[in-house]
Each structure stands twice: as C-alpha cells, then as structure tokens.
Amino acid sequence: MEIREPGDFEFGVATSAWQIEGDISGRGRCTWDDFSETLGKVIDGATGATACDHVNRLEEDLDLLAWLGVDAYRFSISWPRVMPLGTGALSESGLAFYDRLVDGLIARGIAPVATLYHWDLPSPLENNGGWVNRATAEAFAVYAESMAKHFEGRITRWATLNEPWCTAFLGYCSGYFAPGRTEPGASLEAAYNLILGHGLAVDRMRAVGATNVGIVLNLIPIVSESPSMDAVAAHVDGLQNRIFLDLLAGRGVSDEVRASCASITDWAFVRDADNAILGTPIDWMGVNYYTVMRVTEPKATGSGAVGQDSSMFPACPPMSFAPRGFLTQMGWEIIPEGIVEALRIAERGLPGVPLWICENGVAVDDVVDDSGVHDPIRTAYLADHINAVLDARRAGVDVRGYFAWSLMDNLEWSSGWTMQFGIVRVDPVSCERTPKDSAHWYRGQLLARKS
Ligand code: IFM
C-alpha cells in the first residue's frame, strides 16, 4: 500500500488537549471534567486526570513526532490551561507549557497547527449559560486574541473551533457530550453563537497580526436510503453541514433550516447585523471525515453507531441511521469515496477557500503481541483515504494537506478508553507509547517522499 504521487502535500497527525494532556490540577476546570466526573456519563468512568500524561511526557512526544517525520502537528490549546477561569488572567505556567510545545515543534522542523477550541469550555463560562449565552462568543474572541498575541509568528495555521456540530448538538441537544444538556431549541442558539465567536475571534486575531486563520468542520455526506426519506435526509444535512457553511459564508440561516426547526425555536437570536461577522472571510478550512451517514425508515433499535442517532439532530423527524458492511469500533462504515464528497460539500458551501483534511482515521481492535501492535485495517484505511484525497486534488479540488487522527490512542470522550484511534498505542495504565504497524507504515511513506 503506497501513497500515490503526494507532491508537495502536507502530512501530519492530530490530537486535542483534553484527550491527551492530563495534569488537570495544573489548569482551570472545564465542562469535560465536570461531565466525565459525573457517574454514568463516560462509558468506562475515565476522566481527564491522567489521559495520556502528555504534559509530563512532552519531550518524549515531540521526539515521537520527529521520528514519524510529519510536516505538521495539529494540537489544541486548552482554554482553561492558559486562562483558568475562561476570562481574565492568563496562567504563566499554562502558557509556558504551550511555549515548550510550539518551540519544540519548530526546533524539530515541524509546523505547529493550533486549534483554539476542541470542546473544553472553562466551567465558569458554562455556569453562566455556556454557548447558549452570546457572552461566551465574546469571551472566546478575547481568549483567541491573547493567544494570537502570545504566539505571534510561531503558529503556521490557526483553527478557531473544532467541529462546532459536536459542541452544539451532542453537548446541548442530545446531552451525549459535555455539558450534557438536552435542550434542542437552545442547541441551535449554541451553534449560532459558536460561529459568532469564531467570526469575532478571526477579526481580533488578525488585528494583532495572526495569519492563516480558519475553522475545522466535521462535514458528513448524508445519504437518503429511499425517496420517502429524502426530506428527513435534507433536515439532517441542514444541521450537520449546511447551517455551519451558510453562516460562515455570510448567508445567515437558510429558509429551509429555519422552517425545518420552526417547531422548537423562533430563531429570535439570529441578527441580520451579525452576518458580516459570521461570514468574516477565512484563510483556510479544515474538514474532518470518518464516514457517511445513511438515513433510513425508523427502526425499533438504534444503529449502535456513535453519533448516529436522531436525538443528536434538533427537531428531527422519526428516522434511523443504517451503516453498512464492516463496522469499526465506533459502529461506523468505512467508505473512502466519502472523503471526496466531504471535500466537495466544503467546496460548494464555501467556494475558493483552501482545504485541509484535519482529521481522518479509524478505531479498530489492535492485535498486541511480542512482535508489536498490528493494525492492518487502520493502515489500509489511511492509505485508501489519503489516495482518495490525492486523486481529488489531481481532479482540481484545492486540498493541501492531511492529518491522521490520531497520533496516539487517547480518551475518546464519552467512550473513554474503549476506542483506539491512535497510530501509536498508549497503554491506558502505564501510558507507555508503542508505535503500531500503521505508524511504521506512515513513517515509511513520509520518508520515501523525502528521499
Ligand atoms: O476523537 C474525536 C476528535 O476529538 C474529534 N473528531 C472525531 C474524533 C473521533 O471520534
């Protein structure tokens, strides 16, 4: 399995703060701490207390990245680590940690790609309404500006938010994610305020010299499995993909989405005057892709696939999701063509913006024995998806790079340690790192490209 003609494409790996850092006593609290410490919210009771112990193993992890030979590393900054209360004073020790990370990457010739918000909202902000309160958008912009100032000239590419769909709808509609609220109408307001926060942040960051500022969305091709489900599939597509792209393009909330959610909100929080902020032009956009979603007639039992449940879509009519064929640990179908469709959705929704695949990967059972960690399905998954992206690029899609999810096994949110997405194994008890066969394969491909 080889990566075909990569040319000057950028290759990297991605992680996020809460999933790997640990050291919660060294930072302020976030919604994921509160949520994971509540009995029954995380399947195996895992919390962020240790995670992958990345804070204490920073040098080892930087060396691992250098060994892999990646061009870029996508990580997220924990808002409560650098600004413990979400507003006000910055933490010197928190900033010092990210200084070591960023400077360590640069010293190793690896481009730092920083995400400002990967779901770890400082708890005091949630106690004040969270993303349903417009003030959180303002607070986010202030935090983003401080980061842009502090790291000026050292971050190759900034992402404001990662996957606002998850924050808004898993967090505030189904309650499957932190903060665990089940308020479908309010979740639409959260979605709006997230993009408002993004737009305000982009402006403030640029004002202090930040360049290459964008956002990362999880765009998912929605497939209607029968004509009778077309309208429901359009509802799901409206909330998974179009609402975010429309807001980012300055088109506001479409008439279709307004109508399909009219039973749960009057949309009074939408202000026409916000469109210019919401639609602040961005320099690039990240697309995270794992699978497609197939919409079918309602069934008595759920699909069992994580994130594929009608409760995750506000005002969703009765329906079920029906993934096909071999299913991953997450219950997701593997379909490499979908990554090209996800890029096309991005291209159509926000034309002219350069794209990066910011996450792509698979959770499968690894075979661990004396000879190593064997994960042939993951290697094939990565190869097939990377080649599909490179084919799309040759066919004219402006996609410039690819980040595998994830550098290492980590805390998979409500699924705790039960899902392994890493190309490097992390022992959940000792935190020892062991590159899997897929990491050796990725490294081999990257080395071959450079020789
Ligand atoms: O682990 C997550 C990541 O934090 C965001 N995107 C999807 C991944 C796999 O579920």
Side-chain angles (χ1 to χ4, degrees), residues 15-18 21 27 73-83 90 94-95 97-99 101-102 112-122 140 143-144 146-148 150-151 155 157-160 205:
T15 61
S16 89
W18 191 83
E21 285 183 357
R27 60 162 170 77
Y73 174 53
R74 175 174 178 247
F75 61 96
S76 79
I77 295 175
S78 157
W79 185 352
R81 188 174 297 286
V82 292
M83 195 180 257
L90 291 168
L95 290 172
F97 168 70
Y98 292 109
D99 283 337
L101 169 58
V102 169
V113 177
T115 301
L116 287 164
Y117 182 72
H118 198 123
W119 312 347
D120 40 3
L121 186 70
F140 176 69
Y143 149 65
S146 332
M147 293 305 101
H150 182 84
F151 293 103
I155 301 295
R157 220 169 302 113
W158 288 100
T160 53
M205 292 172 76

Side-chain angles (χ1 to χ4, degrees), residues 278-329:
L278 294 155
T280 303
I282 51 178
D283 300 304
W284 67 282
M285 184 160 69
V287 175
N288 292 353
Y289 172 82
Y290 293 86
T291 190
V292 302
M293 293 203 294
R294 297 181 189 278
V295 173
T296 188
E297 308 284 345
K299 298 201 174 71
T301 50
S303 69
V306 175
Q308 299 195 12
D309 187 301
S310 60
S311 69
M312 294 163 182
F313 294 89
C316 196
M319 54 85 65
S320 286
F321 289 101
R324 285 187 190 166
F326 172 84
L327 301 180
T328 70
Q329 289 178 332

Side-chain angles (χ1 to χ4, degrees), residues 19 118-119 162-163 288 290 330 332 359 405 412-413 421:
Q19 292 178 277
H118 198 123
W119 312 347
N162 181 70
E163 300 182 358
N288 292 353
Y290 293 86
M330 300 288 276
W332 295 346
E359 284 181 29
W405 183 270
E412 179 55 27
W413 307 108
F421 274 97

Side-chain angles (χ1 to χ4, degrees), residues 129-141:
W131 284 107
V132 182
N133 185 347
R134 215 175 144 100
T136 299
E138 309 276 351
F140 176 69

